[in-house]
Amino acid sequence: MFYQRECRYMMVSARILMVRGSLLLNAVLVLYLCLSWLSYSPTHEVLSDSQLHLALRAKDVTYSSQPPLPGEIPLPPLPKPLGADVNVGKDVSLGGRRTLGQANEEAAGAEPDEPPREVQESIGVTEHLVAEPIATDPPDPPLDSQERKIYPDLRDCTTKPLRPFYQQRGDYWILENYIPAALSFRCDESITYTTHGDYTFLDNLEPLTSRWQGPVSVAVYTPGLDFNATVQTILYLRDCWAEGIKKYVTFHLFFDVSHTPKTIPTTEEVLRKKTDCGQEPPKWTNVTTYRQEKKLLYPVNVARNTARTAAQTYFVFPSDVELYPSTNFIQEFFKMLKHPDASNTTNPRVYVLSIFEVKENITAPETKSELQKLLAKGDAIPFHKNVCPECHNIPMSKDWISAPVKPGLSVFHIGKRNPPFHSWEPIYVGTNKEPLYDERLSWEGKSDKMTQMYILCVRDYEFHILDNAFLVHRPGIKKLHKDTERDKVVGKQSYTIKKKIVPEYKTLFGSRKKCYL
C-alpha cells in the first residue's frame, strides 16, 4: 500500500516537472523569435507616392527594351519623377495613357499625377493631358453572356501603342499614327470608329466625334501636294475647329510610292507647330486636289485596312466618314454584351447598324424616336434608296422602322447574306479577326466591299441587326448621276472581279450555296 502511494507521488512530481520544463522552453523560443524580429532590417525601400503611382501603372504596361522595328519612329524614354527609383521603360501605351507631348512636360518637373478623364473633358484636353487608367479590372461577365460565349479573349487583349510607324505596303507608303489623338484607350474599354477620306472630307469629324465619344482612326490619302494641305487642315481642325478631334482622332497618312511628297516633317515637328486660329483657315472645300489633277483613283480598301488595323481597341467599327452614328452607342454596346446571346449558335457574327439619309436642311437625328418622326414626315429615307437600294436592303428593315423604341441596345433580327440580300453591303461592328478588304479595288470601280462580304457568307457569318442604333449620312439626299468616265472604270473593275478575283477566292476560301460575288 505504501509502495503504491509512493509511486503515485513520484508520477505526479514527474508530470509537474515536464509541464514546467515545457513552459520554460516555450518562453525561451518566444524570446528568441522576438529578438530575431527586432534585429531584422528590411532591404526594400518604401516607395514614395509618385513612385507608387508609376509602379501601379507599370503593372498594366508592357515595356520594350528592343530596338525599334524598321521604319518605326523611336520615342525618347520617359523620365522618372524626382527621387524615384522605379524603372520605367520607353513604350507607354496601356496603363499610363500618355500622349507624345507628355515626356517633355515631365522632364521639366511637372507633377506626374494626372487628372481623371471627366476632369479633362470639362476643362479641355491638350497634348500634355492624359486620361487616368481604370483603377480596377471590370467584373467578370455573366456565364450566359455574349461576351463570355463569343469573345472570351476580350479581357486578355493587347493594346497597341499610339506610336508613329512608317511602313511600305505594296505601291503605298503608310505613315501610321502620324498625328495621334490626345487620349489613348485600353483595348477592352471602347470601340474604334475606323474611317478614311482625303482632306476635303475631314470637317465631318466634328459631328462624328461629338456623337461617338470614343477613339476614331482615320486613314487620309495624301499623294504629292495633298500631303501638306492635309497636315495644315488637320492642325486647324484640332486646334481651332473642334476639341473632340484633338481628343479622339488619330490620323494615318498614306500615299503612292510614285507620288511621294517632297518633304515629310516628323510627328514631333508637326505637333510643335502652333495654329493661329485668328488667321484665315486653310481651304478644304471647293478646291481641286492633287489627286484630281493627276486623275488618281482613290484606293479605298488600302484606306479601310490602314485605319482598321491601326486601331487600339478589340472592337472596331469600319464605316464612312460622312456617316454619323446615333448617340451613346459604345456604353450600350458593352452593356448588351453582358446579356444572354440572341443566337443559339457559336457562329462568327458582326453587329449591323441600319443606315438612313435626311434632307439637306434637316439636322441628323440622334435617337431612334427622332428618326421615326423624320421618316414619317418624309424628311428621311433608307440609305441609297435612290442610288442602289439593293446594296443596303437590310432584312426586316420595315419592321425595324415601325418597332416601338425600347431602352438600351439589343439584337432586333439575325440575318444572313443570302438571296434576296446577296448584294447587301452592311456596315457593322466587328473585330480585326474579320477578313480585310481587297486592296486591288478602287472606290471609282464600285463593288469594293463585295469581296469581303463573300468571305463572310462562305464562313457562315451571322449579321446581328441592332435595334436603337443607326447611322445617318451627312444631310442631303443622294441622287443617281450618269458618269461615263466612271462607268469605264466600273467595267474594268467588274471584269477583274469576275475573271481574276472570283477564281482566287473560291480556291482560297471555298464556296457555299447561296453565296455570290
Side-chain angles (χ1 to χ4, degrees):
M1 184 70 108
F2 174 78
Y3 176 75
Q4 291 178 349
R5 189 181 303 119
E6 186 68 23
C7 287
R8 290 195 195 99
Y9 175 77
M10 291 176 66
M11 291 175 64
V12 170
S13 300
R15 289 194 187 104
I16 293 173
L17 288 173
M18 289 177 64
V19 171
R20 288 176 178 175
S22 177
L23 291 174
L24 180 61
L25 181 62
N26 288 338
V28 172
L29 181 60
V30 170
L31 179 62
Y32 171 77
L33 293 175
C34 291
L35 291 174
S36 299
W37 182 78
L38 289 173
S39 64
Y40 175 72
S41 178
T43 58
H44 295 85
E45 62 179 316
V46 179
L47 295 178
S48 65
D49 289 343
S50 60
Q51 289 174 296
L52 181 60
H53 176 80
L54 287 173
L56 290 174
R57 284 168 144 201
K59 181 174 70 69
D60 290 329
V61 182
T62 301
Y63 296 101
S64 174
S65 60
Q66 301 297 324
L69 297 173
E72 189 171 348
I73 309 302
L75 294 181
L78 293 170
K80 295 182 291 185
L82 296 177
D85 291 321
V86 178
N87 184 18
V88 180
K90 292 182 179 180
D91 186 11
V92 179
S93 61
L94 177 54
R97 301 179 187 275
R98 295 175 181 268
T99 62
L100 292 176
Q102 190 180 7
N104 293 333
E105 179 182 294
E106 289 189 355
E111 181 66 32
D113 291 332
E114 301 158 356
R117 180 173 297 174
E118 59 269 17
V119 174
Q120 297 180 55
E121 294 187 352
S122 66
I123 63 175
V125 174
T126 70
E127 290 300 325
H128 302 286
L129 287 178
V130 293
E132 189 70 19
I134 296 175
T136 58
D137 292 330
D140 291 336
L143 293 175
D144 61 345
S145 66
Q146 296 180 62
E147 179 182 329
R148 188 180 287 270
K149 175 183 174 183
I150 305 299
Y151 307 108
D153 57 338
L154 171 60
R155 301 300 173 186
D156 297 323
C157 63
T158 301
T159 303
K160 296 180 63 175
L162 286 179
R163 182 171 53 200
F165 184 85
Y166 295 174
Q167 61 174 315
Q168 189 266 325
R169 193 169 77 224
D171 295 329
Y172 300 93
W173 273 105
I174 313 294
L175 277 55
E176 188 175 302
N177 301 321
Y178 185 67
I179 301 180
L183 292 181
S184 178
F185 288 80
R186 219 171 64 179
C187 60
D188 62 348
E189 69 170 326
S190 194
I191 306 169
T192 301
Y193 192 108
T194 70
T195 188
H196 57 91
D198 62 29
Y199 73 94
T200 65
F201 287 86
L202 296 183
D203 59 333
N204 290 287
L205 292 173
E206 179 187 11
L208 195 159
T209 54
S210 68
R211 291 161 171 261
W212 188 244
Q213 293 293 303
V216 178
S217 175
V218 183
V220 189
Y221 185 43
T222 59
L225 298 177
D226 285 349
F227 185 91
N228 187 52
T230 299
V231 172
Q232 291 179 356
T233 302
I234 291 173
L235 293 178
Y236 180 83
L237 293 174
R238 282 166 51 94
D239 296 337
C240 309
W241 192 261
E243 184 69 23
I245 296 176
K246 173 177 281 191
K247 287 199 295 184
Y248 297 122
V249 182
T250 294
F251 295 89
H252 322 283
L253 277 51
F254 74 103
F255 45 83
D256 315 69
V257 171
S258 56
H259 294 276
T260 301
K262 291 184 178 180
T263 59
I264 300 176
T266 66
T267 292
E268 290 77 10
E269 290 171 338
V270 170
L271 293 179
R272 280 199 296 265
K273 293 181 179 179
K274 300 299 181 182
T275 304
D276 186 353
C277 298
Q279 296 295 319
E280 186 75 16
K283 290 192 67 175
W284 63 77
T285 59
N286 300 319
V287 296
T288 301
T289 65
Y290 177 91
R291 176 174 77 89
Q292 292 169 334
E293 289 179 352
K294 300 297 183 180
K295 297 183 179 180
L296 300 176
L297 298 180
Y298 179 62
V300 61
N301 285 344
V302 176
R304 287 188 177 120
N305 291 341
T306 296
R308 203 189 87 175
T309 56
Q312 283 191 298
T313 57
Y314 182 92
F315 288 107
V316 291
F317 185 23
S319 184
D320 292 341
V321 73
E322 291 186 300
L323 294 179
Y324 308 154
S326 50
T327 55
N328 300 320
F329 179 82
I330 297 174
Q331 302 92 317
E332 295 300 330
F333 181 83
F334 280 100
K335 289 180 184 178
M336 182 189 70
L337 291 183
K338 299 293 189 292
H339 298 159
D341 191 7
S343 172
N344 57 7
T345 76
T346 56
N347 287 12
R349 82 275 306 276
V350 290
Y351 299 90
V352 179
L353 278 73
S354 301
I355 316 174
F356 299 89
E357 300 176 34
V358 295
K359 292 181 177 179
E360 191 169 2
N361 60 337
I362 300 297
T363 301
E366 296 184 349
T367 64
K368 184 177 179 180
S369 58
E370 294 177 3
L371 173 64
Q372 287 175 322
K373 294 175 182 178
L374 294 177
L375 289 166
K377 293 191 297 183
D379 290 334
I381 61 172
F383 188 55
H384 277 187
K385 181 179 180 180
N386 300 329
V387 178
C388 184
E390 67 275 9
C391 297
H392 295 278
N393 182 21
I394 298 180
M396 303 284 289
S397 58
K398 292 183 179 179
D399 299 89
W400 187 96
I401 291 172
S402 60
V405 177
K406 298 178 181 178
L409 195 63
S410 61
V411 176
F412 183 80
H413 175 69
I414 299 175
K416 293 277 189 174
R417 197 178 174 274
N418 297 329
F421 305 103
H422 56 282
S423 297
W424 183 25
E425 295 183 338
I427 292 182
Y428 57 80
V429 172
T431 71
N432 264 318
K433 296 177 183 178
E434 272 65 76
L436 293 171
Y437 301 90
D438 196 309
E439 296 187 357
R440 292 170 289 185
L441 306 179
S442 69
W443 174 82
E444 289 82 359
K446 298 184 178 180
S447 302
D448 45 79
K449 289 191 292 187
M450 300 293 281
T451 52
Q452 194 217 38
M453 292 299 106
Y454 174 78
I455 302 173
L456 297 185
C457 183
V458 168
R459 292 180 176 174
D460 201 24
Y461 264 71
E462 294 179 350
F463 295 84
H464 289 223
I465 301 164
L466 298 176
D467 198 9
N468 283 355
F470 57 89
L471 294 163
V472 181
H473 192 273
R474 180 174 181 150
I477 301 294
K478 286 179 171 288
K479 296 180 181 179
L480 185 62
H481 297 285
K482 187 66 176 177
D483 188 339
T484 55
E485 290 300 317
R486 186 176 184 183
D487 289 342
K488 295 176 184 179
V489 181
V490 172
K492 290 180 180 179
Q493 186 152 297
S494 298
Y495 182 83
T496 300
I497 292 174
K498 181 178 180 181
K499 295 298 183 180
K500 187 174 183 179
I501 294 179
V502 169
E504 286 180 12
Y505 276 44
K506 287 186 176 180
T507 300
L508 288 167
F509 307 108
S511 59
R512 178 185 287 269
K513 188 178 180 181
K514 298 183 179 180
C515 292
Y516 303 100
L517 178 55

